[in-house]
Amino acid sequence: MTQLTSVFSLDEEMMQQIEQKYDKKRQIAQPREHELFDIFQEELTEEETWALKYLFAYMPLNDLADYEGSLFLSHVRRTLDIRNQVPWGKRVPDHLFLHYVLPYRVNTENIEDSRGILYDQLAPRTTQLSMAEAILETNYWCHEKATYIGSDMRTISPLTMIRNARGRCGEESTLAVAALRSIGIPARQVYTPRWAHSDDNHAWVEAWADGQWYYIGACEPEAQLNQGWFSPPARRAMLINTRIFADYPGPEDITLADEWFTEINLLEGYARTRTITVQVKDEQDCLVSGAYVHFQLYNMAEFYPLATLPTDGMGEASFKTGFGDLIIRVVKAGQWGEKRVTVSDGENIVIVLGQIYQPEGTADFDMIPPPEREGDVSEPVSQEKMQRHQGRLEEGTMIRSSYEDTFMDEIQASELAQAAGLPQDWVWDVLRKARGNSREIAAFLRERSAEYGILPLRLLESLNEKDQIDTVYSTLDDHLIGALAHQSKLPEEVFIQYVLCPRVMYEMIAPYKRFFQTAFTEAESERFRADPSELVRRIDEGWGLWEDLPNLKGKGTPVGTFQMKKGDRASLDILFVAICRSLGIPARLHPSEHTPQYMAAGSWADAVFTPESVLPEKKGTGTLRFIQDNEAAAEAPAASYWENFTFARLENGIYKTLFYPYGKSDVYDEPFEVEQGSYRMTTGIRLKDGSVRVRFNYFKVRAGEQIEVPLTFREVPLDIPVLGKFDRDRTFSLPDGTGRTLGELVGKRGAIVTWIEPEREPSKHLIRELCELTEPLTELGAPVVLVVGDGHWTSSFDPSSYTKLPEGTLFVRDTAYDSLPDFISQPPASEAGFPHLFVLDGQDQIRYTASGYKIGSGKEALQVLSGVWQPLTDRGESSR
């Protein structure tokens, strides 16, 4: 019989497992033994000891490399203390506490000792509430602190999020989970890696209260739990999951049980599901174990692996997913097999492994997402409660806006620029991006520009926009001073981009130049500068490869990876680039391959690492030129990378998508230099119902040769039905208080009219799309009318701040949104929610409509509007 211990209800088997994994991590982290594990020499309680061992047992290598043991001890002590203080602390079962309260990490954010800071702000507002009420209140607090904006892949920390006052959904949910855990409420970040019906993804939060998990939209409060604009999209998802840093026993469905983490599948709580079992056989009809099964979903013009699972001894792998289409690709030892499946058609799939070469020619097929369906009927919210909720939203927006008013403004930027002798527009651009970090950046410019002129500003410009909000003076100083000795030896742009700049990939910017300049002898540094391949060999021989948490690849700091003597492949590549730049050797990750390179004799050379002492075959390069199909150009969409096309190289049975900038459209201008090999181009046209018309085009690139490949899309007839009609005499209010009828706003040729909630993520996505379409919409001359209801036309809403919208865009006010057509009040539009987008023709007829979160609706609206647009010049009338 198992003997229980009073510490976290751990049985002997679990305690032994934690001890074994703790010992293994301690052995792995031996180079930082004192920095990490000296805390166990302090006087610790039994709870503190086991909480620390639990964290260390499953701690990712990058965290062992980059942080001190004292940080984790402080976190553990504060968390245990909070558990004893909050009224629900003892009601939270130990297994939930260990997995969803104690962890210090939510996503890929840099770790700070923030638990006590967040608790001190939230405790006075929540300790007198029920757990469910505390969850809602915490989300109101998050709304006061931050709102949504799209940004790059790096995840900022909760404290940086608060300082910046905005972030993408992964950062909003990281803040909300950290906030809920800080008051002892179990919380987890859940996400769909990719939507099936739209080209994007999303993350939100689940929180536990008195025996039940609820969901909320982080930083986007609702009047009650289990509500959010993403509810209808989630019912069409193919996977909703989360990752736990432990051997997690459930009770949720487990997708993948790794040695260091567990992925659980939460889709069943949102959508209809089916478990499909893939059986893999070879060409002799024998079962194949140890093959990898990739369950791939179309999104952003590539087939993204929602899950990759190994086959068991019976040659099987099972995956619970939604009722849409997938491509299932099976790979082992370079051989592969593939099948497109409709999940609703069956549960058992057999795939034969044995292909080596890719097909030839083209292949056309459709990918269908799960169908729309209505959700459960929720308890109605009283008018009084809804009014109180709307008041809280406005109050939160005003609190956040008041904080944003403390950021440095353009006048202060101009004064700084004049005092420092720097270009005013450059300085303002940097400080505008820095937001809550603007005074830190300003201090660096003020103090360093006096001595080094424009170079400090060039350093700041070399960083990503997000870097401005959390890079501190001392870090900037390290990279500025550490690069000065090499400035005169290199062309200016090479020096700025590949020596001065500390940014390599999507890692947190940290100081490293002066560290690496003293880490080697002068003779070693000179040898590396003379022949950077010597540095490649040094890292090959002295640093080990260690892969643990997939989403943390490349997130280790260069100094931490160096000191730990090991890292994942991406972190080791970043380490190489960082050492090179510190020693004055221009280096980078290849823009499309993300492989490390150094500059030698004015050209880029690959840094070829061989961690397993196996020299790879030297690959040649060829050139690829895309050719536009002129006959179909009028009907086909403009090519845009990651939006409607990508191309990928076949490597070990899997297609590896090449990295180019999102939205890259100059694809016909110059050839692409790529490695020789077999390639597949994917083009896709997303239809209004979420389905996709896909085309594969297979081709080969040979070393030293140029190949021309037609970039073609499948034909999709433009469907422009009449869906209803608007009342031209309906009156709206302009910002100055004057009234205009819809007819006066729209004119006689047609227009885009959309009802929005400016603070909500779906409306922000649409506004961003309209900004990206400014040029074609302005050229068309079409009115764009953005309608805002009274409840959202608050004192903090400023229409004049939307400066990048098309020329002639108008914001108008609609009392209670009561001008919307009747069918918007019916499912599915009613459930999808705002924005409600319409294209009107010259007779006030509705020719297109889209409701809720739908990436690409702006482009669809432009296409339809172009189809119904009535040029007045044909009738000799003025353009307006």
Side-chain angles (χ1 to χ4, degrees), residues 287-497:
L287 299 174
V288 179
S289 63
Y292 282 93
V293 183
H294 303 263
F295 298 87
Q296 299 177 329
L297 176 73
Y298 178 93
N299 191 283
M300 294 178 65
E302 69 166 349
F303 279 85
Y304 179 88
L306 289 177
T308 299
L309 305 176
T311 55
D312 58 20
M314 297 297 294
E316 293 182 346
S318 297
F319 177 54
K320 180 175 284 189
T321 187
F323 278 65
D325 289 356
L326 293 171
I327 283 183
I328 301 178
R329 192 173 182 92
V330 178
V331 177
K332 184 175 183 181
Q335 296 188 15
W336 59 273
E338 185 175 86
K339 184 174 288 188
R340 182 174 66 87
V341 302
T342 296
V343 173
S344 59
D345 287 349
E347 298 177 339
N348 298 294
I349 299 153
V350 176
I351 297 181
V352 176
L353 186 70
Q355 300 262 31
I356 298 176
Y357 304 106
Q358 71 174 10
E360 296 181 353
T362 62
D364 292 349
F365 56 94
D366 292 349
M367 294 295 291
I368 311 299
E372 289 184 308
R373 68 180 184 91
E374 294 184 27
D376 298 330
V377 178
S378 58
E379 182 181 340
V381 179
S382 68
Q383 185 174 0
E384 179 185 0
K385 187 174 182 180
M386 184 54 68
Q387 288 177 342
R388 191 162 58 247
H389 169 66
Q390 292 294 342
R392 293 294 305 273
L393 291 180
E394 180 170 358
E395 178 187 10
T397 301
M398 292 179 64
I399 291 171
R400 180 171 10 92
S401 297
S402 296
Y403 166 66
E404 291 176 301
D405 289 341
T406 67
F407 299 167
M408 292 187 70
D409 57 27
E410 193 168 2
I411 295 175
Q412 293 169 306
S414 177
E415 292 171 350
L416 171 61
Q418 289 180 342
L422 298 171
Q424 294 185 27
D425 55 339
W426 288 16
V427 172
W428 171 232
D429 185 57
V430 167
L431 295 183
R432 176 183 58 81
K433 294 173 182 175
R435 295 176 61 78
N437 197 42
S438 54
R439 284 174 174 76
E440 184 86 3
I441 300 298
F444 172 70
L445 284 176
R446 184 180 299 109
E447 296 179 28
R448 285 308 189 187
S449 296
E451 186 174 358
Y452 301 110
I454 203 169
L455 196 59
L457 186 57
R458 295 300 306 273
L459 167 60
L460 289 165
E461 285 189 312
S462 74
L463 302 176
N464 292 346
E465 180 170 343
K466 187 179 288 185
D467 297 331
Q468 314 290 350
I469 65 175
D470 62 358
T471 307
V472 298
Y473 186 120
S474 58
T475 297
L476 295 168
D477 213 44
D478 172 87
H479 292 289
L480 174 68
I481 305 304
L484 290 173
H486 312 293
Q487 183 179 9
S488 61
K489 304 171 187 176
L490 296 165
E492 182 179 9
E493 289 309 312
V494 171
F495 168 75
I496 297 293
Q497 194 168 355

Side-chain angles (χ1 to χ4, degrees), residues 672-746:
F672 294 78
E673 182 176 327
V674 296
E675 290 185 7
Q676 66 183 30
S678 297
Y679 285 82
R680 183 184 74 189
M681 178 167 60
T682 301
T683 62
I685 297 178
R686 178 82 71 175
L687 304 185
K688 188 173 184 294
D689 64 0
S691 61
V692 187
R693 301 284 173 87
V694 182
R695 169 168 290 167
F696 282 163
N697 188 352
Y698 298 96
F699 57 91
K700 291 183 179 180
V701 176
R702 295 177 175 85
E705 297 181 7
Q706 177 171 297
I707 181 174
E708 294 185 343
V709 177
L711 203 169
T712 62
F713 298 85
R714 294 176 61 192
E715 292 184 14
V716 178
L718 184 61
D719 182 25
I720 313 181
V722 175
L723 303 171
K725 194 164 184 175
F726 265 104
D727 177 9
R728 280 185 75 83
D729 296 326
R730 175 70 199 190
T731 301
F732 299 90
S733 299
L734 295 178
D736 62 7
T738 59
R740 293 280 182 87
T741 66
L742 180 67
E744 291 173 317
L745 294 169
V746 169

